[in-house]
Structure formats: C-alpha cells, structure tokens
Amino acid sequence: ATVSSVVASNHPKFEPGQLVLGYSGWQDYEVSSGKGLTWLDPDAGPVSTALGVMGMPGLTAYVGLLDIGQPKPGETVVVSSAAGAVGSVAGQIARLKGCRTMGVAGTAEKCRYTVQEFGFERCLNYNDDDFVEQLKDACPDGIDIYFENVGGKVFDAACALMNTAGRIPVCGMISRYNDTALPEGPDTLPRLMRAILTRRLLVCGFIITDHGHRLGDFLKDMGGWLESGEVHYREDVTAGLENAVHVFQGLLAGSNTGKALIRVSDDPTMKR
Amino acid sequence: ATVSSVVASNHPKFEPGQLVLGYSGWQDYEVSSGKGLTWLDPDAGPVSTALGVMGMPGLTAYVGLLDIGQPKPGETVVVSSAAGAVGSVAGQIARLKGCRTMGVAGTAEKCRYTVQEFGFERCLNYNDDDFVEQLKDACPDGIDIYFENVGGKVFDAACALMNTAGRIPVCGMISRYNDTALPEGPDTLPRLMRAILTRRLLVCGFIITDHGHRLGDFLKDMGGWLESGEVHYREDVTAGLENAVHVFQGLLAGSNTGKALIRVSDDPTMKR
C-alpha cells in the first residue's frame, strides 16, 4: 500500500494537499480515477501508521487473532514472525486479552525487542539448534492458538504442541514463498491431518480483504490502544524508491526489523 | 456402541426388559453401575437405528455438515465414504439443504446404492484409474464443502478442487489408520497449507462427544426426516459376537455395505 499526497485533482472528492491511502505500486507519481483511494486524517497520528499498525497489517492481526483465534484469558498463544508488522500486533492483542504470548523470530535482536518493546512473555529464535526444545519448554501447558505466518519448521514444532480444540489462523507462509517444488519426503500431511482430527484443531486461512466489515471496530480499538500506550509498533524505513526491490527481497529473507517502509518524500505529519 | 436389554437390576432407574444404549464392548453380558446408559424408546423405530442413523454416526454427520460445513443452497458438497453410516447421512442432509451432493466410495456397488438409495447426484469410485478426472468433471464449479472421512488420494483430489472460502470438516481418515510410518515423499504439507492460505479454507477436526448440546436438535430433525422418508439408511448386520473382529477388520478395508452391526440376539422391536 502507499500513502501519497494529492498534487492536482479534477475529482470532486479530492483536493491538492490531501493525504490518501492507495495501492499505487512502486512509483513516484500516479494518475488515479480516485477509485480505491481513501482519505487519511493528518491529525490521527504519523501517516506512516496507515501502512502498518493502523492499516492492513494491523487489521490482519486483529481479524486473525480475534475472529479466527477466539482467544480466552489464560490461553497460550504462539505467534510466528512475532517481530513483524502483523505478528507484533497479534501478540500484543493476545496479551491484552489475557493470554500468555510467546513469539518466534529469526534473530536474537528481533527476539530482544519483541519481548522488550512488544511485551511478549518470551520470544524464541527459530535458528537456534534447540528451538524445538525451547518451544516445548516455553509452552508447558501446550498451545491454544498458533498464529501462522511462516510455515516450515516453526509450523511443525507448533503443531506438535497444539492442545485439543486449538486454533491455527493461517496468515502467511513466508518460508515457502520462494519454493518452486515440493520439499523431499517423508510426506508429513497425514501427520497434520491426524493432529487436526484427534485434537479437533481448526486451521483457517484468511485474507484481510474479505473482512472489511471489521475495519470500524479495528480502528476504534487500535486507536485506543495506541493512545493509551498499550500497543507499540516499529517501523523500518528506507529512503529512496530505488531501494524498493532490495528491501522487498530483504523482507522475504527476514532482514527487516519492523514494518518495512520506503520513504519517497518527507512525511508532512511528522513536521508538526 | 451397544444396544442391550436389562436382564436384572438393582438400580432405581432401570428395570428388566428395558432397552438401553451403552458402550459395553464386545461381550454378551455386562455388569453396569448405570453410568453412561441411556433408555431407548422401543416405539421410536427399530432399535438398531440408535447405533446408526439416529445415533452417534447420524449426529456426527449432522454436526460436521451443518455446524462446521455451513452449507448454502446451490453449493457443491463432496462426501467421502459416502456409502457409510456417517457419509450417507451427511450427503442426504446436504441434499435437503439444497446442495449438489457428490459421493465417493470404493466399489461400483456402493456407488450404485449411494445414488439410488441415498439420492446423491453422482457417486464416484476412487479405485477407478481416472477417479481424479471424474471428480473434476463432476464438480465443474469446484467444491464448497468436502466432508472428509478417508484421507489419502481422495483428500488430495478434493483439495485441489476446493473453492475460495471452502470448508473441510475432518471426521475421519480411515485410509491412514493402519499406517505405522509416514508415507514417502514428496512432502505435500506445504501444498495443503498454500491452498488453505490462498483459498482461505477452513479445515476443522471434530469428535462428536464435544457436541452433545446438538443432540436434541438432531433427534428432532432426523426423526422427522426418517418419518417423511427424506433420509434413508442401510444396515449391514452380521450375526454372532464371534464375528466382531472379522467385521471390524472388514470395516477398515471397506467391505461393509451400510452401518456395520453385530447381532447377538433378536431385536425385540422388529417382532412387533
């Protein structure tokens, strides 16, 4: 998504200087019919949050955790990509709902700020050799909700610990996006289906564009949590459109720390 | 489950001659404290239906299809083990809810009576060489609900055809119960997770003992459907307790036709 300011307009709804949220792609300027553009309130906070915690990533965490995950106080919630734009919010909402929240991330530094800045009880590095044992140790009562962003070995480890009637909102599987063929065997699908059957798991994929009816609730709740300081966020800003491809590749490799943003010009809401 | 008649009783709730539903195991007589026993009404129909269409198998179909599957008129529902005690009921309820219902079974004879007796639109034999193509042909608009009883190649074929926002109630995986190790590769789990993610599928295991609160609705609905002739059932009765092991092995191999029952004595409700 992109935040832009209107330079010139023949559209009755938009005036020069207004800030808008859209899907303009990687470019400096866009000619738009106005379709798909949303006004942004410059007083609502830094306009960059419309791309992260107050935007689609935040709404994704909100819907995935609350509507699919259905967290109950005292439950154990494990969030993969816990340092990222979606995972960090999912874990913070779980904490606000009274759950024990465990994060999983890919570097010691990400694990550090996931605990310190986002308030997860613990965050494990899946690159540690003893990650599987660490996860087991961190979840002595099993896992009630596993918020899935990555696939691969984190999914396998979490699955093995799921409690009866556990829920797995499937938001992403970033470890597999670059795969061009199925991994070698053995075929672990029957093991997953057996877990789903015998432990009555719910596994549910979702995409945020199906859940627009929750936007109002989300903006109200998240606005309140940000204002009260109960939810924190982190942005990883790179200047220059020419760096977009490199940053995107880094995202797939896990090198960003916070919501990955490309700044193409100064943020007018930060000058105040 | 077992249907028995009370021979002698010191329990205030039970009298000799009463029929009861219980879980007595494979034996001619049981000494019971009364715990877990339910009275059966001898006027409600053949008492054997308490073990099938009016019992746990019927309730399993009812909950899996209606509560997890959430069928809508015009949707395409595929039921595996469609000739069996659970699948046959799941398909008939789907038809009553206005869905197109396709069955999958393992012999031509099972397919025949699944269409003729249970009213499925079509029933495919998964042992046919071109089963995958047949399923595709039978579901030109994709599959909205796949009622899963078997796992293996039927699951794989159905998964490939699932529509966006499709539902997969996972009731059983009979093709895998005898496995002692994971199958050889490739590992197809990432393919399933990708389908769950990109098509926003819901996959949900269930066990009927979690859904006792639906028993009242079920008995009312199913009683009505049986009385009006809208739901049919089939029983595969073998006489003699000494045949129980053999019949159970046959069930796992798919050789029964209808709800597999062992008769240890005459059914008093059939003498009327």
Side-chain angles (χ1 to χ4, degrees), chain B:
Chain B
T2 48
V3 168
S4 326
S5 69
V6 178
V7 178
S9 173
N10 295 321
H11 193 295
K13 254 184 75 187
F14 298 98
E15 287 177 24
Q18 275 184 337
L19 294 171
V20 291
L21 179 69
Y23 297 86
S24 310
W26 290 348
Q27 52 190 349
D28 285 306
Y29 296 91
E30 185 199 16
V31 175
S32 168
S33 69
K35 209 183 153 197
L37 292 187
T38 319
W39 287 326
L40 290 175
D41 175 2
D43 296 324
V47 78
S48 60
T49 59
L51 299 170
V53 67
M54 287 292 281
M56 272 180 45
L59 179 60
T60 298
Y62 185 88
V63 165
L65 186 82
L66 295 180
D67 296 1
I68 299 177
Q70 304 267 349
K72 292 168 205 54
E75 288 193 325
T76 298
V77 177
V78 171
V79 178
S80 59
S81 297
V86 175
S88 62
V89 174
Q92 291 181 90
I93 299 175
R95 191 197 67 224
L96 291 171
K97 296 296 173 186
C99 299
R100 296 189 61 215
T101 56
M102 305 293 159
V104 178
T107 68
E109 166 61 7
K110 286 183 180 183
C111 288
R112 187 196 61 73
Y113 70 73
T114 295
V115 171
Q116 290 185 1
E117 297 179 22
F118 302 140
F120 283 62
E121 186 172 323
R122 212 168 138 184
C123 186
L124 311 176
N125 183 345
Y126 63 77
N127 286 312
D128 285 351
D129 287 340
D130 61 346
F131 163 68
V132 172
E133 289 72 36
Q134 285 186 41
L135 188 65
K136 208 170 167 177
D137 178 64
C139 306
D141 300 322
I143 299 172
D144 299 296
I145 302 175
Y146 170 57
F147 194 100
E148 166 67 321
N149 280 306
V150 293
K153 69 178 181 181
V154 183
F155 177 78
D156 292 345
C159 248
L161 298 173
M162 291 302 295
N163 287 331
T164 295
R167 290 82 72 198
I168 304 181
V170 180
C171 176
M173 47 184 292
I174 201 163
S175 78
R176 296 294 181 197
Y177 289 154
N178 286 335
D179 285 5
T180 53
L182 290 172
E184 283 185 27
D187 187 356
T188 62
L189 189 143
R191 184 170 66 198
L192 171 64
M193 294 305 291
R194 188 178 292 260
I196 289 173
L197 176 61
T198 59
R199 285 180 260 155
R200 291 90 93 182
L201 305 181
L202 179 143
V203 183
C204 189
F206 68 104
I207 190 159
I208 204 55
T209 45
D210 292 342
H211 300 266
H213 65 285
R214 291 286 273 153
L215 185 64
D217 295 330
F218 162 71
L219 290 174
K220 188 163 156 277
D221 285 343
M222 187 55 71
W225 290 329
L226 287 171
E227 205 167 289
S228 65
E230 289 170 294
V231 166
H232 295 93
Y233 63 95
R234 194 176 170 116
E235 295 174 343
D236 188 351
V237 183
T238 305
L241 186 58
E242 63 278 15
N243 295 313
V245 172
H246 181 69
V247 167
F248 185 67
Q249 286 171 336
L251 179 77
L252 293 175
S255 59
N256 60 307
T257 54
K259 171 65 185 174
L261 297 173
I262 302 287
R263 189 175 60 222
V264 293
S265 63
D266 288 341
D267 176 351
T269 63
M270 294 295 278
K271 284 185 189 163
R272 287 149 187 271

Side-chain angles (χ1 to χ4, degrees), chain A residues 21-36:
Chain A
L21 179 69
Y23 297 86
S24 310
W26 290 349
Q27 51 190 353
D28 285 307
Y29 295 92
E30 186 198 17
V31 176
S32 168
S33 67
K35 209 185 151 195

Side-chain angles (χ1 to χ4, degrees), chain A residues 183 187-188 194 200 203 207 210, chain B residues 176 183 187-188 200 203 205 210:
Chain A
D187 187 356
T188 62
R194 188 179 291 261
R200 293 91 93 182
V203 182
I207 190 159
D210 292 341
Chain B
R176 296 294 181 197
D187 187 356
T188 62
R200 291 90 93 182
V203 183
D210 292 342

Side-chain angles (χ1 to χ4, degrees), chain A residues 109-120:
Chain A
E109 167 61 5
K110 286 182 179 182
C111 288
R112 188 196 59 74
Y113 70 72
T114 295
V115 171
Q116 291 186 1
E117 297 178 22
F118 302 138
F120 283 62

Side-chain angles (χ1 to χ4, degrees), chain A residues 147-167:
Chain A
F147 194 101
E148 166 65 322
N149 281 305
V150 295
K153 70 177 181 182
V154 182
F155 177 78
D156 292 344
C159 248
L161 299 172
M162 292 303 294
N163 286 332
T164 294
R167 289 82 71 198

Side-chain angles (χ1 to χ4, degrees), chain A residues 29-53:
Chain A
Y29 295 92
E30 186 198 17
V31 176
S32 168
S33 67
K35 209 185 151 195
L37 292 187
T38 319
W39 288 326
L40 289 175
D41 174 4
D43 296 325
V47 79
S48 60
T49 58
L51 299 169
V53 67

Side-chain angles (χ1 to χ4, degrees), chain A residues 241-254:
Chain A
L241 187 57
E242 64 278 15
N243 295 314
V245 172
H246 181 71
V247 166
F248 185 66
Q249 287 171 335
L251 178 77
L252 292 175

